[in-house]
């Protein structure tokens, strides 16, 4: 009797398990089906066209950006050709391809609020640590306030002769050493050493000194690019960066050397922040400030509450500034240098303009004088258009009101993005967009002024890149000095535009083909 009872009990247990499994599968099916119906037909943005598989799931974006390594930017353009200027590109996001709409999307704070989208901000690993990756509009304004005077045009102009010119002089000294030794230079690395030394001195009192080294450091540039290359993966799998950050440093060093370098820099920034706070409290003999302002000190001196001045917050802000300041400006210098050397008429015009404006190459002009060289400025604007600055779409969320594109309503709370690549390559605005033509910006007072409104390399509106003036000063100072001192003897060595320069992949930052040999230059006497 007892054995029969046990058998029945076991049978009932198996039956119950089957029922529970079937119920769970049915619930999952219903949930999935409802989710699919919602995303395709019931969501407030269901009326906006687009491919059904993009509306249904993020796996479409995953394929183009993770599997193919950053190609969704160009696939989005294909979708626009089919579905029109406003489309859905994933279950929640709307994308617009109309160059005139950017002034409606990227607005200043006095017009309306602009939030960022949490899902997209995951691509930078940390989130809500700095002004850049802050989601909420009002919190961003508070966090941005200490940065504004620090990166203003007046501050950059004041520091250009002391800091930027000093670093450019070191760069030229290293280039002269390579010239005298008959050694070519990978300018991609040389420019990255320049820009990281500048932005690190801006960010914290004891900056990097890569330009003091006989050769140009490669590891930290490769580390930032490696982190940029996995940005799409970090976005799709939000747990990944916290997981990598939580591992012991010795494990990360052997499993992901590039990530280790970035995390190592974060630890350095944390230590410097700790020392600055301790010095201010009189509990450290940490060396006094150089007399130049630093981003860390600007945050600590601000009116923000103490909760915004924690070690992780201040160090995180400095790390974002260093990463952005290193890559964007160095890529601009790389692109400009290639196109100048690859186009003899442009090279000749620039050299004539520089020699007229800078009679003595050992007595370089200040920023105001550099900005009076029209052809140099025309090269700067054409470089921004050509390398795009940021190739990924920049989404904005209007939290409290609807937006309208033509006759289409976009409900409040919807992430809406545009992409610089699509605007900068628009032939109606920039005829023959593939050609590098500084002349299209001349005269600057009329044609140049008209075209500048279509440059999205630094973003627009209240979330525009705070380091725009610093980047401009770096590029103008770098190009003017390098070409004035070495321009007549500079020539490309094996660098090809399609393979080494043109933007082929979007990893938030622009990336050339994976076969790229970078920008290599020889310096003749």
């Amino acid at each position: 009797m007892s054995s029969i009872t046990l058998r029945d009990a076991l049978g009932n247990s198996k039956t119950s398990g089957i029922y529970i499994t079937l119920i769970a599968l049915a619930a999952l099916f219903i949930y999935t089906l409802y989710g699919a119906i919602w995303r395709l037909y019931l969501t407030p943005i269901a009326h906006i066209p687009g491919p059904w598989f993009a509306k249904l799931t993020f796996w479409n974006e995953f394929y183009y950006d993770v599997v193919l390594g950053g190609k969704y930017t160009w696939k989005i353009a294909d979708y626009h050709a089919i579905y029109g200027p406003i489309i859905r590109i994933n279950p929640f996001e709307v994308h617009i391809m109309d160059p005139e709409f950017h002034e409606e999307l990227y607005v200043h704070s006095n017009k309306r609020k602009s939030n960022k989208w949490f899902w997209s901000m995951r691509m930078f690993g940390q989130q809500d640590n700095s002004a850049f990756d802050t989601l909420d509009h009002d919190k961003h304004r508070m966090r941005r306030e200490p940065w504004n005077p620090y990166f203003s045009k007046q501050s950059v102009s004041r520091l250009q002769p002391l800091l930027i010119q000093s670093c450019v002089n070191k760069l030229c000294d290293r280039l002269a050493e390579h010239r005298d030794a008959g050694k070519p230079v990978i300018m991609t690395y040389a420019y990255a050493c320049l820009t990281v030394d500048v932005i690190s001195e801006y960010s914290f009192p004891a900056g990097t000194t890569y330009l003091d080294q006989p050769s140009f450091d490669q590891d930290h540039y490769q580390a930032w690019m490696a982190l940029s290359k996995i940005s799409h993966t970090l976005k799709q799998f939000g747990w990944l960066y916290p997981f990598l950050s939580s591992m012991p440093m010795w494990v990360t060093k052997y499993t992901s050397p590039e990530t280790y370098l970035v995390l190592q820099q974060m630890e350095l920034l944390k230590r410097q922040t700790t020392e600055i706070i301790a010095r201010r409290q009189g509990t450290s003999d940490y060396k006094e400030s150089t007399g130049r302002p630093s981003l860390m000190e600007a945050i600590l001196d601000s009116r923000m509450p103490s909760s915004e001045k924690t070690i992780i917050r201040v160090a995180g802000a400095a790390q974002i500034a260093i990463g952005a300041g290193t890559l964007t400006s160095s890529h601009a210098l790389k692109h400009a240098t290639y196109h100048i050397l690859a186009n003899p008429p442009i090279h000749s015009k620039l050299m004539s303009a520089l020699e007229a404006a800078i009679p003595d190459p050992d007595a370089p002009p200040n920023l105001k004088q550099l900005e009076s060289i029209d052809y140099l400025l025309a090269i700067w604007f054409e470089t921004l258009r050509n390398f795009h600055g940021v190739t990924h779409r920049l989404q904005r969320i209007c939290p409290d009101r609807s937006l309208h594109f033509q006759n289409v309503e976009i409900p409040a709370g919807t992430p809406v993005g545009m992409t610089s690549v699509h605007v900068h390559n628009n032939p109606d605005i920039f005829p023959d967009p593939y050609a590098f033509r500084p002349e299209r910006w001349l005269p600057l007072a009329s044609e140049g002024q008209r075209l500048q409104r279509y440059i999205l390399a630094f973003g627009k509106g209240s979330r525009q890149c705070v380091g725009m003036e610093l980047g401009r000063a770096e590029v103008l100072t770098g190009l003017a000095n390098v070409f004035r001192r070495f321009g007549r003897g500079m020539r490309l060595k094996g660098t090809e535009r399609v393979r080494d320069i043109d933007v082929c992949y979007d990893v938030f930052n622009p990336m050339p083909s994976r076969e790229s040999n970078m920008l290599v230059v020889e310096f003749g006497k």
Side-chain angles (χ1 to χ4, degrees):
M1 178 72 106
S2 61
S3 62
I4 295 174
T5 303
L6 178 61
R7 190 180 303 116
D8 290 344
L10 289 173
N12 292 336
S13 176
K14 289 180 180 179
T15 303
S16 298
I18 292 172
Y19 283 148
I20 291 172
T21 301
L22 290 175
I23 291 171
L25 290 174
L28 178 62
F29 174 77
I30 293 171
Y31 175 81
T32 303
L33 179 63
Y34 176 77
I37 293 172
W38 172 267
R39 290 180 174 185
L40 290 175
Y41 303 110
L42 302 179
T43 175
I45 56 173
H47 61 289
I48 296 176
W52 67 268
F53 40 87
K55 297 178 182 179
L56 186 62
T57 173
F58 283 105
W59 287 110
N60 181 62
E61 183 173 343
F62 174 88
Y63 173 74
Y64 287 102
D65 269 347
V66 178
V67 177
L68 299 185
K71 300 296 286 185
Y72 202 38
T73 288
W74 290 270
K75 190 61 182 178
I76 288 171
D78 294 339
Y79 291 153
H80 277 292
I82 299 171
Y83 296 99
I86 178 170
I87 60 173
R88 286 174 61 191
I89 57 173
N90 61 43
F92 305 104
E93 182 181 352
V94 170
H95 191 273
I96 292 175
M97 193 171 179
D98 182 337
E100 304 300 332
F101 190 73
H102 77 270
E103 293 182 336
E104 176 63 24
L105 180 60
Y106 304 112
V107 296
H108 291 283
S109 298
N110 58 3
K111 185 168 183 179
R112 69 164 183 271
K113 293 184 176 183
S114 294
N115 291 350
K116 285 191 174 182
W117 189 24
F118 82 95
W119 189 80
S120 183
M121 287 296 100
R122 298 195 310 190
M123 68 194 307
F124 307 105
Q126 66 179 38
Q127 188 174 108
D128 209 35
N129 259 355
S130 74
F132 173 78
D133 54 33
T134 299
L135 305 179
D136 179 72
H137 174 89
D138 294 323
K139 183 186 287 188
H140 169 263
R141 288 190 68 185
M142 175 190 66
R143 289 178 169 178
R144 174 77 174 250
E145 185 178 358
W147 296 52
N148 290 332
Y150 178 68
F151 282 100
S152 69
K153 186 174 181 62
Q154 291 78 9
S155 294
V156 171
S157 296
R158 184 172 61 252
L159 289 174
Q160 186 263 352
L162 302 173
L163 175 57
I164 301 174
Q165 185 63 56
S166 175
C167 288
V168 170
N169 288 342
K170 290 181 182 180
L171 170 66
C172 290
D173 290 344
R174 299 289 84 79
L175 295 179
E177 292 169 2
H178 282 72
R179 177 199 61 192
D180 296 342
K183 296 166 58 178
V185 178
I186 301 177
M187 294 299 291
T188 306
Y189 296 140
Y191 285 139
C193 288
L194 167 66
T195 56
V196 72
D197 276 6
V198 171
I199 190 60
S200 65
E201 284 286 342
Y202 250 61
S203 298
F204 50 97
T208 58
T209 56
Y210 293 128
L211 288 171
D212 289 337
Q213 302 174 9
S215 59
F216 298 108
D217 176 84
Q218 303 178 15
D219 292 342
H220 280 78
Y221 173 81
Q222 293 291 7
W224 282 114
M225 284 306 295
L227 189 63
S228 187
K229 289 175 185 176
I230 65 169
S231 59
H232 295 302
T233 304
L234 295 177
K235 180 169 65 173
Q236 295 280 343
F237 305 103
W239 51 267
L240 183 57
Y241 188 82
F243 173 75
L244 292 173
S245 302
S246 66
M247 291 195 304
M249 290 289 282
W250 66 268
V251 175
T252 305
K253 183 176 182 179
Y254 289 102
T255 57
S256 179
E258 297 86 358
T259 304
Y260 169 78
L261 286 173
V262 175
L263 295 177
Q264 187 183 47
Q265 184 187 68
M266 185 61 172
E267 290 303 312
L268 172 64
L269 293 171
K270 288 179 184 177
R271 289 197 298 271
Q272 292 223 12
T273 305
T274 302
E275 291 287 356
I276 293 171
I277 294 173
R279 171 167 56 81
R280 291 175 172 220
Q281 296 172 345
T283 59
S284 170
D285 58 359
Y286 184 68
K287 70 177 184 178
E288 290 298 319
S289 171
T290 60
R292 290 191 296 265
S294 75
L295 176 60
M296 283 181 166
E297 292 169 313
I299 293 173
L300 292 171
D301 288 337
S302 71
R303 298 176 297 176
M304 292 192 298
S306 57
S307 60
E308 292 292 321
K309 301 177 182 180
T310 62
I311 292 173
I312 188 67
R313 260 273 306 127
V314 178
Q319 186 181 43
I320 285 288
I322 291 171
T326 297
L327 295 180
T328 305
S329 298
S330 65
H331 288 167
L333 284 161
K334 177 189 75 172
H335 277 259
T337 298
Y338 170 81
H339 286 291
I340 293 167
L341 295 178
N343 295 276
I346 296 175
H347 187 198
S348 178
K349 289 180 182 178
L350 176 64
M351 292 307 303
S352 297
L354 291 177
E355 288 165 354
I358 312 173
D360 181 2
D362 295 323
N366 59 34
L367 183 58
K368 184 176 181 180
Q369 292 168 314
L370 290 175
E371 290 177 335
S372 68
I373 306 173
D374 284 2
Y375 200 69
L376 180 62
L377 278 179
I379 288 175
W380 158 248
F381 289 124
E382 185 69 347
T383 298
L384 291 180
R385 187 193 69 82
N386 184 266
F387 97 107
H388 308 300
V390 171
T391 47
H392 199 63
R393 60 198 186 271
L394 300 177
Q395 303 96 336
R396 298 292 182 266
I397 294 175
C398 181
D400 52 8
R401 68 181 73 173
S402 297
L403 298 178
H404 291 84
F405 174 76
Q406 297 177 357
N407 61 343
V408 179
E409 180 178 357
I410 306 171
T414 303
V416 184
M418 295 182 67
T419 308
S420 65
V421 176
H422 303 155
V423 177
H424 296 170
N425 288 340
N426 188 312
D428 295 330
I429 300 171
F430 301 103
D432 194 11
Y434 188 70
F436 189 88
R437 287 172 37 203
E439 289 75 14
R440 74 170 84 238
W441 298 89
L442 299 174
L444 289 173
S446 54
E447 193 63 9
Q449 194 69 29
R450 181 184 71 84
L451 293 176
Q452 284 180 49
R453 62 188 288 259
Y454 296 106
I455 292 297
L456 304 182
F458 292 99
K460 294 278 189 178
S462 60
R463 300 280 187 143
Q464 186 176 51
C465 176
V466 72
M468 179 176 64
E469 294 297 340
L470 177 63
R472 175 186 174 109
E474 285 179 306
V475 174
L476 295 182
T477 306
L479 289 178
N481 281 266
V482 169
F483 277 91
R484 181 63 184 91
R485 288 188 58 177
F486 307 103
R488 294 294 183 186
M490 292 172 65
R491 57 185 177 273
L492 299 170
K493 181 176 174 60
T495 302
E496 299 175 5
R497 176 174 180 176
V498 173
R499 182 191 65 197
D500 303 314
I501 303 298
D502 284 346
V503 178
C504 295
Y505 299 96
D506 155 46
V507 292
F508 190 78
N509 294 291
M511 188 174 116
S513 75
R514 295 186 176 90
E515 293 74 37
S516 173
N517 294 326
M518 303 195 182
L519 173 65
V520 184
V521 173
E522 291 181 313
F523 291 81
K525 295 184 179 180

